[in-house]
PDB file of all heavy atoms in Angstrom:
ATOM      1  N   GLU V1713      82.205  97.816 107.157  1.00 95.00           N
ATOM      2  CA  GLU V1713      80.947  97.069 107.192  1.00 95.00           C
ATOM      3  C   GLU V1713      80.626  96.898 108.662  1.00 95.00           C
ATOM      4  O   GLU V1713      81.409  96.312 109.416  1.00 95.00           O
ATOM      5  CB  GLU V1713      81.098  95.685 106.537  1.00 95.00           C
ATOM      6  CG  GLU V1713      81.546  95.726 105.080  1.00 95.00           C
ATOM      7  CD  GLU V1713      80.418  96.024 104.095  1.00 95.00           C
ATOM      8  OE1 GLU V1713      79.288  96.338 104.552  1.00 95.00           O
ATOM      9  OE2 GLU V1713      80.666  95.949 102.888  1.00 95.00           O
ATOM     10  N   ARG V1718      74.797  93.484 106.387  1.00 80.00           N
ATOM     11  CA  ARG V1718      74.724  92.414 105.410  1.00 80.00           C
ATOM     12  C   ARG V1718      75.068  91.050 105.983  1.00 80.00           C
ATOM     13  O   ARG V1718      75.939  90.916 106.823  1.00 80.00           O
ATOM     14  CB  ARG V1718      75.718  92.709 104.290  1.00 80.00           C
ATOM     15  CG  ARG V1718      75.380  93.996 103.570  1.00 80.00           C
ATOM     16  CD  ARG V1718      75.916  93.929 102.179  1.00 80.00           C
ATOM     17  NE  ARG V1718      76.975  94.882 101.959  1.00 80.00           N
ATOM     18  CZ  ARG V1718      77.724  94.893 100.863  1.00 80.00           C
ATOM     19  NH1 ARG V1718      77.558  93.974  99.947  1.00 80.00           N
ATOM     20  NH2 ARG V1718      78.659  95.797 100.710  1.00 80.00           N
ATOM     21  N   ARG V1723      76.445  86.152  95.589  1.00 97.00           N
ATOM     22  CA  ARG V1723      77.516  86.258  94.584  1.00 97.00           C
ATOM     23  C   ARG V1723      78.873  86.400  95.252  1.00 97.00           C
ATOM     24  O   ARG V1723      79.869  85.850  94.815  1.00 97.00           O
ATOM     25  CB  ARG V1723      77.241  87.404  93.607  1.00 97.00           C
ATOM     26  CG  ARG V1723      77.488  88.800  94.111  1.00 97.00           C
ATOM     27  CD  ARG V1723      77.724  89.769  92.960  1.00 97.00           C
ATOM     28  NE  ARG V1723      76.512  90.308  92.390  1.00 97.00           N
ATOM     29  CZ  ARG V1723      75.910  91.440  92.805  1.00 97.00           C
ATOM     30  NH1 ARG V1723      76.394  92.130  93.816  1.00 97.00           N
ATOM     31  NH2 ARG V1723      74.821  91.867  92.214  1.00 97.00           N
ATOM     32  N   ASP V1724      78.888  87.158  96.360  1.00 98.00           N
ATOM     33  CA  ASP V1724      80.167  87.373  97.030  1.00 98.00           C
ATOM     34  C   ASP V1724      80.760  86.058  97.518  1.00 98.00           C
ATOM     35  O   ASP V1724      81.916  85.752  97.277  1.00 98.00           O
ATOM     36  CB  ASP V1724      79.987  88.332  98.214  1.00 98.00           C
ATOM     37  CG  ASP V1724      79.550  89.723  97.764  1.00 98.00           C
ATOM     38  OD1 ASP V1724      79.985  90.158  96.677  1.00 98.00           O
ATOM     39  OD2 ASP V1724      78.766  90.370  98.484  1.00 98.00           O
ATOM     40  N   HIS V1759      69.731  87.072  97.608  1.00 96.00           N
ATOM     41  CA  HIS V1759      70.994  87.787  97.410  1.00 96.00           C
ATOM     42  C   HIS V1759      71.928  87.618  98.608  1.00 96.00           C
ATOM     43  O   HIS V1759      73.135  87.678  98.483  1.00 96.00           O
ATOM     44  CB  HIS V1759      70.672  89.262  97.162  1.00 96.00           C
ATOM     45  CG  HIS V1759      71.816  90.031  96.587  1.00 96.00           C
ATOM     46  ND1 HIS V1759      72.530  89.602  95.487  1.00 96.00           N
ATOM     47  CD2 HIS V1759      72.382  91.215  96.956  1.00 96.00           C
ATOM     48  CE1 HIS V1759      73.477  90.492  95.208  1.00 96.00           C
ATOM     49  NE2 HIS V1759      73.408  91.463  96.084  1.00 96.00           N
ATOM     50  N   GLN V1760      71.328  87.402  99.771  1.00 94.00           N
ATOM     51  CA  GLN V1760      72.123  87.224 100.991  1.00 94.00           C
ATOM     52  C   GLN V1760      71.450  86.216 101.908  1.00 94.00           C
ATOM     53  O   GLN V1760      70.247  86.031 101.826  1.00 94.00           O
ATOM     54  CB  GLN V1760      72.212  88.540 101.778  1.00 94.00           C
ATOM     55  CG  GLN V1760      72.976  89.617 101.081  1.00 94.00           C
ATOM     56  CD  GLN V1760      72.743  90.984 101.695  1.00 94.00           C
ATOM     57  OE1 GLN V1760      72.094  91.128 102.732  1.00 94.00           O
ATOM     58  NE2 GLN V1760      73.263  91.995 101.039  1.00 94.00           N
ATOM     59  N   ILE V1772      66.159  91.772 101.628  1.00 90.00           N
ATOM     60  CA  ILE V1772      66.761  92.165 100.354  1.00 90.00           C
ATOM     61  C   ILE V1772      66.234  91.322  99.200  1.00 90.00           C
ATOM     62  O   ILE V1772      66.159  91.795  98.063  1.00 90.00           O
ATOM     63  CB  ILE V1772      68.310  92.209 100.436  1.00 90.00           C
ATOM     64  CG1 ILE V1772      68.923  92.635  99.097  1.00 90.00           C
ATOM     65  CG2 ILE V1772      68.934  90.925 100.858  1.00 90.00           C
ATOM     66  CD1 ILE V1772      70.101  93.544  99.225  1.00 90.00           C
ATOM     67  N   TRP V1843      76.448  92.186  88.546  1.00 98.00           N
ATOM     68  CA  TRP V1843      77.561  92.330  89.497  1.00 98.00           C
ATOM     69  C   TRP V1843      77.672  93.763  90.005  1.00 98.00           C
ATOM     70  O   TRP V1843      78.008  93.997  91.162  1.00 98.00           O
ATOM     71  CB  TRP V1843      78.879  91.889  88.824  1.00 98.00           C
ATOM     72  CG  TRP V1843      80.038  92.229  89.703  1.00 98.00           C
ATOM     73  CD1 TRP V1843      80.552  91.440  90.701  1.00 98.00           C
ATOM     74  CD2 TRP V1843      80.766  93.455  89.725  1.00 98.00           C
ATOM     75  NE1 TRP V1843      81.558  92.110  91.349  1.00 98.00           N
ATOM     76  CE2 TRP V1843      81.709  93.349  90.769  1.00 98.00           C
ATOM     77  CE3 TRP V1843      80.707  94.632  88.985  1.00 98.00           C
ATOM     78  CZ2 TRP V1843      82.597  94.369  91.076  1.00 98.00           C
ATOM     79  CZ3 TRP V1843      81.598  95.660  89.292  1.00 98.00           C
ATOM     80  CH2 TRP V1843      82.528  95.520  90.327  1.00 98.00           C
ATOM     81  N   ASN V1844      77.425  94.702  89.144  1.00 98.00           N
ATOM     82  CA  ASN V1844      77.501  96.105  89.550  1.00 98.00           C
ATOM     83  C   ASN V1844      76.188  96.494  90.224  1.00 98.00           C
ATOM     84  O   ASN V1844      75.217  96.872  89.583  1.00 98.00           O
ATOM     85  CB  ASN V1844      77.759  96.979  88.325  1.00 98.00           C
ATOM     86  CG  ASN V1844      78.053  98.412  88.708  1.00 98.00           C
ATOM     87  OD1 ASN V1844      77.631  98.883  89.760  1.00 98.00           O
ATOM     88  ND2 ASN V1844      78.759  99.114  87.848  1.00 98.00           N
ATOM     89  N   ASP V1845      76.190  96.424  91.534  1.00 97.00           N
ATOM     90  CA  ASP V1845      74.989  96.706  92.325  1.00 97.00           C
ATOM     91  C   ASP V1845      74.406  98.078  92.056  1.00 97.00           C
ATOM     92  O   ASP V1845      73.276  98.369  92.434  1.00 97.00           O
ATOM     93  CB  ASP V1845      75.341  96.705  93.818  1.00 97.00           C
ATOM     94  CG  ASP V1845      75.513  95.322  94.358  1.00 97.00           C
ATOM     95  OD1 ASP V1845      74.853  94.407  93.871  1.00 97.00           O
ATOM     96  OD2 ASP V1845      76.332  95.170  95.285  1.00 97.00           O
ATOM     97  N   CYS V1846      75.247  98.936  91.525  1.00 98.00           N
ATOM     98  CA  CYS V1846      74.850 100.341  91.414  1.00 98.00           C
ATOM     99  C   CYS V1846      74.367 100.724  90.024  1.00 98.00           C
ATOM    100  O   CYS V1846      74.031 101.879  89.786  1.00 98.00           O
ATOM    101  CB  CYS V1846      76.012 101.226  91.845  1.00 98.00           C
ATOM    102  SG  CYS V1846      76.416 100.900  93.554  1.00 98.00           S
ATOM    103  N   TYR V1860      68.285 101.748  96.662  1.00 96.00           N
ATOM    104  CA  TYR V1860      68.599 101.367  95.278  1.00 96.00           C
ATOM    105  C   TYR V1860      68.636  99.845  95.113  1.00 96.00           C
ATOM    106  O   TYR V1860      68.375  99.320  94.042  1.00 96.00           O
ATOM    107  CB  TYR V1860      69.968 101.915  94.881  1.00 96.00           C
ATOM    108  CG  TYR V1860      69.984 103.390  94.625  1.00 96.00           C
ATOM    109  CD1 TYR V1860      70.691 104.248  95.463  1.00 96.00           C
ATOM    110  CD2 TYR V1860      69.314 103.926  93.542  1.00 96.00           C
ATOM    111  CE1 TYR V1860      70.729 105.607  95.220  1.00 96.00           C
ATOM    112  CE2 TYR V1860      69.348 105.295  93.294  1.00 96.00           C
ATOM    113  CZ  TYR V1860      70.054 106.131  94.136  1.00 96.00           C
ATOM    114  OH  TYR V1860      70.092 107.465  93.890  1.00 96.00           O
ATOM    115  N   GLN V1861      69.028  99.201  96.192  1.00 93.00           N
ATOM    116  CA  GLN V1861      69.221  97.751  96.072  1.00 93.00           C
ATOM    117  C   GLN V1861      67.899  96.991  95.948  1.00 93.00           C
ATOM    118  O   GLN V1861      67.859  95.909  95.382  1.00 93.00           O
ATOM    119  CB  GLN V1861      70.002  97.182  97.273  1.00 93.00           C
ATOM    120  CG  GLN V1861      71.284  97.927  97.599  1.00 93.00           C
ATOM    121  CD  GLN V1861      72.256  97.982  96.434  1.00 93.00           C
ATOM    122  OE1 GLN V1861      72.496  96.996  95.771  1.00 93.00           O
ATOM    123  NE2 GLN V1861      72.797  99.156  96.165  1.00 93.00           N
ATOM    124  N   GLU V1998      72.053 104.168  91.282  1.00 98.00           N
ATOM    125  CA  GLU V1998      73.061 104.520  92.284  1.00 98.00           C
ATOM    126  C   GLU V1998      74.407 104.896  91.681  1.00 98.00           C
ATOM    127  O   GLU V1998      75.142 105.720  92.237  1.00 98.00           O
ATOM    128  CB  GLU V1998      73.235 103.372  93.287  1.00 98.00           C
ATOM    129  CG  GLU V1998      74.173 103.734  94.429  1.00 98.00           C
ATOM    130  CD  GLU V1998      74.200 102.708  95.555  1.00 98.00           C
ATOM    131  OE1 GLU V1998      73.337 101.813  95.576  1.00 98.00           O
ATOM    132  OE2 GLU V1998      75.087 102.811  96.410  1.00 98.00           O
ATOM    133  N   TYR V2002      77.063 108.735  93.069  1.00 98.00           N
ATOM    134  CA  TYR V2002      78.367 109.022  93.690  1.00 98.00           C
ATOM    135  C   TYR V2002      79.065 110.168  92.993  1.00 98.00           C
ATOM    136  O   TYR V2002      79.005 110.280  91.770  1.00 98.00           O
ATOM    137  CB  TYR V2002      79.267 107.785  93.607  1.00 98.00           C
ATOM    138  CG  TYR V2002      78.804 106.666  94.492  1.00 98.00           C
ATOM    139  CD1 TYR V2002      78.277 105.499  93.965  1.00 98.00           C
ATOM    140  CD2 TYR V2002      78.889 106.780  95.872  1.00 98.00           C
ATOM    141  CE1 TYR V2002      77.842 104.475  94.775  1.00 98.00           C
ATOM    142  CE2 TYR V2002      78.456 105.760  96.694  1.00 98.00           C
ATOM    143  CZ  TYR V2002      77.935 104.605  96.147  1.00 98.00           C
ATOM    144  OH  TYR V2002      77.497 103.613  96.959  1.00 98.00           O
ATOM    145  N   LYS V2007      83.751 104.973  94.156  1.00 98.00           N
ATOM    146  CA  LYS V2007      82.927 103.757  94.077  1.00 98.00           C
ATOM    147  C   LYS V2007      82.658 103.407  92.618  1.00 98.00           C
ATOM    148  O   LYS V2007      83.511 103.523  91.763  1.00 98.00           O
ATOM    149  CB  LYS V2007      81.621 103.966  94.858  1.00 98.00           C
ATOM    150  CG  LYS V2007      81.814 104.130  96.358  1.00 98.00           C
ATOM    151  CD  LYS V2007      82.020 102.814  97.072  1.00 98.00           C
ATOM    152  CE  LYS V2007      80.737 102.034  97.180  1.00 98.00           C
ATOM    153  NZ  LYS V2007      80.978 100.711  97.766  1.00 98.00           N
ATOM    154  N   GLU V2008      81.443 102.964  92.344  1.00 98.00           N
ATOM    155  CA  GLU V2008      81.156 102.478  91.005  1.00 98.00           C
ATOM    156  C   GLU V2008      81.143 103.600  89.962  1.00 98.00           C
ATOM    157  O   GLU V2008      81.177 103.319  88.770  1.00 98.00           O
ATOM    158  CB  GLU V2008      79.811 101.730  90.996  1.00 98.00           C
ATOM    159  CG  GLU V2008      79.860 100.332  91.623  1.00 98.00           C
ATOM    160  CD  GLU V2008      79.687 100.311  93.144  1.00 98.00           C
ATOM    161  OE1 GLU V2008      79.810 101.383  93.783  1.00 98.00           O
ATOM    162  OE2 GLU V2008      79.433  99.222  93.697  1.00 98.00           O
ATOM    163  N   PHE V2013      87.421 100.113  90.968  1.00 98.00           N
ATOM    164  CA  PHE V2013      86.730  99.128  91.784  1.00 98.00           C
ATOM    165  C   PHE V2013      87.533  97.840  91.642  1.00 98.00           C
ATOM    166  O   PHE V2013      87.387  97.094  90.690  1.00 98.00           O
ATOM    167  CB  PHE V2013      85.292  98.964  91.278  1.00 98.00           C
ATOM    168  CG  PHE V2013      84.359  98.621  92.384  1.00 98.00           C
ATOM    169  CD1 PHE V2013      83.654  99.618  93.059  1.00 98.00           C
ATOM    170  CD2 PHE V2013      84.215  97.307  92.792  1.00 98.00           C
ATOM    171  CE1 PHE V2013      82.805  99.296  94.116  1.00 98.00           C
ATOM    172  CE2 PHE V2013      83.374  96.982  93.846  1.00 98.00           C
ATOM    173  CZ  PHE V2013      82.660  97.980  94.505  1.00 98.00           C
ATOM    174  N   GLN V2061      88.377  97.525  98.562  1.00 98.00           N
ATOM    175  CA  GLN V2061      87.367  97.407  97.516  1.00 98.00           C
ATOM    176  C   GLN V2061      87.585  98.466  96.446  1.00 98.00           C
ATOM    177  O   GLN V2061      87.450  98.214  95.264  1.00 98.00           O
ATOM    178  CB  GLN V2061      85.969  97.588  98.123  1.00 98.00           C
ATOM    179  CG  GLN V2061      84.844  97.465  97.114  1.00 98.00           C
ATOM    180  CD  GLN V2061      83.575  98.150  97.586  1.00 98.00           C
ATOM    181  OE1 GLN V2061      83.540  99.346  97.867  1.00 98.00           O
ATOM    182  NE2 GLN V2061      82.510  97.374  97.702  1.00 98.00           N
ATOM    183  N   ASN V2076      87.369 100.969 102.113  1.00 97.00           N
ATOM    184  CA  ASN V2076      86.739  99.658 102.235  1.00 97.00           C
ATOM    185  C   ASN V2076      87.740  98.520 102.077  1.00 97.00           C
ATOM    186  O   ASN V2076      87.640  97.700 101.159  1.00 97.00           O
ATOM    187  CB  ASN V2076      85.603  99.531 101.212  1.00 97.00           C
ATOM    188  CG  ASN V2076      84.586  98.507 101.640  1.00 97.00           C
ATOM    189  OD1 ASN V2076      84.795  97.777 102.608  1.00 97.00           O
ATOM    190  ND2 ASN V2076      83.490  98.420 100.915  1.00 97.00           N
TER     191      ASN V2076
HETATM  192  C1  LIG S2883      77.649 100.040  97.136  1.00 96.61           C
HETATM  193  C2  LIG S2883      77.993  98.722  96.503  1.00 96.61           C
HETATM  194  C3  LIG S2883      77.507  97.625  97.384  1.00 96.61           C
HETATM  195  C4  LIG S2883      76.036  97.799  97.697  1.00 96.61           C
HETATM  196  C5  LIG S2883      75.605  96.713  98.639  1.00 96.61           C
HETATM  197  C6  LIG S2883      76.199 100.115  97.419  1.00 96.61           C
HETATM  198  O1  LIG S2883      75.890 101.300  98.054  1.00 96.61           O
HETATM  199  O2  LIG S2883      78.085 101.099  96.317  1.00 96.61           O
HETATM  200  O3  LIG S2883      79.369  98.605  96.278  1.00 96.61           O
HETATM  201  O4  LIG S2883      77.671  96.398  96.766  1.00 96.61           O
HETATM  202  O5  LIG S2883      75.788  99.055  98.232  1.00 96.61           O
HETATM  203  O6  LIG S2883      74.511  96.945  99.367  1.00 96.61           O
END
Side-chain angles (χ1 to χ4, degrees):
E1713 301 280 7
R1718 298 206 247 171
R1723 76 157 85 90
D1724 296 326
H1759 196 50
Q1760 294 165 7
I1772 181 141
W1843 171 87
N1844 189 334
D1845 284 329
C1846 298
Y1860 286 113
Q1861 310 303 315
E1998 185 171 348
Y2002 290 110
K2007 294 280 286 175
E2008 285 85 345
F2013 211 94
Q2061 181 202 58
N2076 204 351

